[in-house]
Amino acid sequence: MNRYFIGVDLGATSGRVILATLSDGNIALEVLHRFPNRLLQIGGKYYWNIYALYEEILHGLTLAGQRRIPVTSVGIDTWGVDMACVAADGTLAGLPRAYRDPYTNDAPEAFFRKVPRREVYRRTGIQIMNFNSLYQLCAARREGMSALENAESVLFMPDALSYLLTGEKVCEYTILSTSQFMDPRTREIDGGLLREAGVDAALFPRVVLPGERVGLLCEEVARQTGLGRVPVVAVAGHDTGSAVAAVPAENGRFAYLSSGTWSLMGIEVPEPIITDDSYAMNFTNEGGVDGTVRFLKNITGMWLLEQCRAAWSREGKEYPYEQIMHMTEGAAPSPAVIDPDAPEFAAPTDMPAAIRTWCAAHGYPVPADDAALMRLIFDSLAAKYAEVLGRLRSLAPFEIECLHVIGGGAQNDLLNRMTADACGIPVVAGPAEATALGNIMVQARAAGVVGSLSEMRQYIRRSIETKTYEPKK
């Protein structure tokens, strides 16, 4: 018998409503609705239009309802850290502030005057980033944000959207783990840190783990979409948490690389790794399925190439990806590599010029043409992945036997080959749709289709094709 699940996957620039059909041990995905997610800039402040997202989700659910599909459940994943405030009458108290808003730029340093930086890392295991939820709350209190002043509850983005669908409030573990006010050992909110930020921990509802039911679609939504009172299940609400749940690993001795515009490389462990070395290397501990911990590091990914393509396009030079791969493979290996995470590459107006300037400033050969610059980017990314993997190996409680590449980068044949050679271990590429698959499989487990994280991954292995890249000897 076929089982049907709907996964809502929201990124910072776009969203999708995806229908999954599980049949005979296999998964088929169909995108019911794809839509943009645009920042709103109002009065110099940046917001998410949560009402527009809600409408788009309803449209996707309605498309399923029109087809009379017997949906088992719905699950939502989004990006991390951002929050919505709910007033005492149950309405949203304004639009959620977006992590790109510069109001948090100096918030961490102000907070460290109350609690030292190293102490914050010791208590949370989360790398210091100015837009972490803890510093957003500090900045909101400092400016007297009316939404927070009038809030009865504060919900992270996937939980806020689930609330709009069901009327039920929860705080999902994996999305909470990105906040920098969760104790990763107890998986509970650190009320002491919140008090220093001027916020009461009671604003946040009960913590739930992936697979727990949030509630049923409220009567209005059930009627409008035609789905009926379908359950909404808390999946790994943080999109990377859902993606890592879909790693088709056969055992736990792996590292993963969630690869796209930005990359995240890490391992999955049962307990957080919080040491002087992890602090010095700026590794972070985020929540995963089954209470696991994703010990990882953020790395710049294909951002460099995408920004170069944009600059070249302004000059009238259009390079489709197939041509880029051909030009890169035909170019000579780079005599030196750049640091993709250098601050000069964070948001330059002209990325090719920024890369050439960086090379000249560091005494490196400047790429002679576009092909050489493409090759430099690929060589540098592979080298960076190898560097971070080396640091992971020094901290991991097990031997890392292979690297699983998931997300859009799983389809980048050339970079995967170069990464395998640089890292010296097999690279297993796929699935590209890891986030959606992880979202769906958590729902499938809640419905009793599978019984464990290992079985979820086994199910995914049967359903997708992966490609293995062996390193050159």
Side-chain angles (χ1 to χ4, degrees), residues 125-205:
I126 296 293
Q127 62 186 330
I128 309 298
M129 304 179 80
N130 68 287
F131 52 68
N132 288 349
S133 312
L134 179 65
Y135 312 121
Q136 289 198 38
L137 292 171
C138 290
R141 277 295 188 219
R142 181 173 58 188
E143 73 172 27
M145 182 191 291
S146 61
L148 183 58
E149 297 293 334
N150 293 288
E152 183 180 74
S153 304
V154 177
L155 304 176
F156 291 98
M157 288 301 293
D159 302 328
L161 290 162
S162 293
Y163 167 69
L164 293 179
L165 292 175
T166 66
E168 299 291 338
K169 300 174 187 176
V170 299
C171 182
E172 190 274 322
Y173 159 64
T174 69
I175 204 78
L176 169 64
S177 75
T178 68
S179 66
Q180 199 147 51
F181 54 77
M182 187 193 84
D183 184 331
R185 303 164 187 86
T186 64
R187 303 181 180 90
E188 296 292 339
I189 290 172
D190 186 325
L193 288 177
L194 280 180
R195 279 193 298 275
E196 296 295 349
V199 175
D200 188 342
L203 286 173
F204 292 86

Side-chain angles (χ1 to χ4, degrees), residues 276-415:
D276 289 342
D277 287 339
S278 69
Y279 174 74
M281 296 180 190
N282 205 29
F283 275 84
T284 197
N285 294 267
E286 296 178 351
V289 171
D290 281 0
T292 57
V293 174
R294 293 175 289 114
F295 182 69
L296 60 89
K297 187 172 181 62
N298 293 299
I299 311 169
T300 300
M302 294 301 283
W303 165 257
L304 299 177
L305 182 60
E306 290 170 8
Q307 292 302 297
C308 282
R309 289 183 75 204
W312 290 326
S313 179
R314 291 192 294 270
E315 298 172 1
K317 296 185 290 187
E318 301 293 342
Y319 292 125
Y321 267 101
E322 185 176 350
Q323 183 179 356
I324 287 173
M325 299 304 158
H326 179 74
M327 292 171 67
T328 302
E329 197 156 18
S334 305
V337 295
I338 61 175
D339 179 7
D341 292 327
E344 294 88 340
F345 307 140
T349 56
D350 186 330
M351 183 66 81
I355 292 174
R356 291 190 171 97
T357 299
W358 195 94
C359 289
H362 289 77
Y364 294 167
V366 177
D369 53 28
D370 293 348
L373 199 151
M374 293 172 190
R375 179 68 190 229
L376 174 60
I377 290 173
F378 275 67
D379 283 333
S380 300
L381 288 176
K384 186 70 176 187
Y385 295 156
E387 175 191 331
V388 174
L389 182 68
R391 294 178 182 177
L392 268 176
R393 282 172 154 162
S394 71
L395 297 168
F398 54 83
E399 182 179 352
I400 298 173
E401 297 177 348
C402 68
L403 175 65
H404 282 270
V405 177
I406 55 177
Q411 301 173 92
N412 193 325
D413 184 77
L414 176 58
L415 183 56

Side-chain angles (χ1 to χ4, degrees), residues 18 31 144 174 206 234 263 297 319 358 418 440:
I18 299 166
V31 177
T174 69
R206 63 186 177 95
S263 295
K297 187 172 181 62
Y319 292 125
W358 195 94
M418 296 173 71
I440 296 299

Side-chain angles (χ1 to χ4, degrees), residues 223-246:
R223 182 174 60 255
Q224 180 178 343
T225 61
L227 290 178
R229 302 297 301 279
V230 170
V232 174
V233 171
V235 297
H238 188 214
D239 49 12
T240 308
S242 279
V244 172

